[in-house]
Amino acid sequence: MAEQMLADAGLDFVERGSAQVVNEWPDLDLAVRALASAGPSWPALQEAGHERFADAVREAIRPLSTEGLGVRIISEFGWIMGRAPGI
């Protein structure tokens, strides 16, 4: 799909790959605060309010929390590179 989007935009496919991102926090509360501060959380915060949002995020990430070690979330993001023809 991403390659088709490049083609639709008049770009030639160059390369694709992925990157791993690791986020770590000392406890659930700080993890929830950090995740609430991220831009993509804004619509959910506006719709649900901070308390409902925080409760939902806390429950979702609880399995990623280890007592005495904190919370660790490993995410993988894909990327694709295109180039204008002739460049």
Side-chain angles (χ1 to χ4, degrees):
M1 164 127 352
E3 281 127 354
Q4 185 61 52
M5 291 172 70
L6 287 176
D8 292 347
L11 301 172
D12 294 328
F13 170 78
V14 174
E15 188 176 2
R16 75 167 44 240
S18 63
Q20 194 176 76
V21 177
V22 178
N23 290 288
E24 296 178 317
W25 301 279
D27 57 50
L28 276 171
D29 290 334
L30 192 57
V32 169
R33 286 181 57 200
L35 293 168
S37 71
S41 296
W42 184 248
L45 285 161
Q46 290 299 301
E47 182 64 29
H50 186 270
E51 288 307 312
R52 282 183 55 210
F53 174 88
D55 289 345
V57 170
R58 189 175 290 106
E59 287 309 307
I61 66 173
R62 190 176 305 282
L64 305 173
S65 178
T66 302
E67 188 65 37
L69 293 178
V71 178
R72 184 174 204 201
I73 298 176
I74 301 172
S75 305
E76 186 170 339
F77 298 93
W79 56 269
I80 188 166
M81 186 185 317
R83 179 180 297 134
I87 294 181

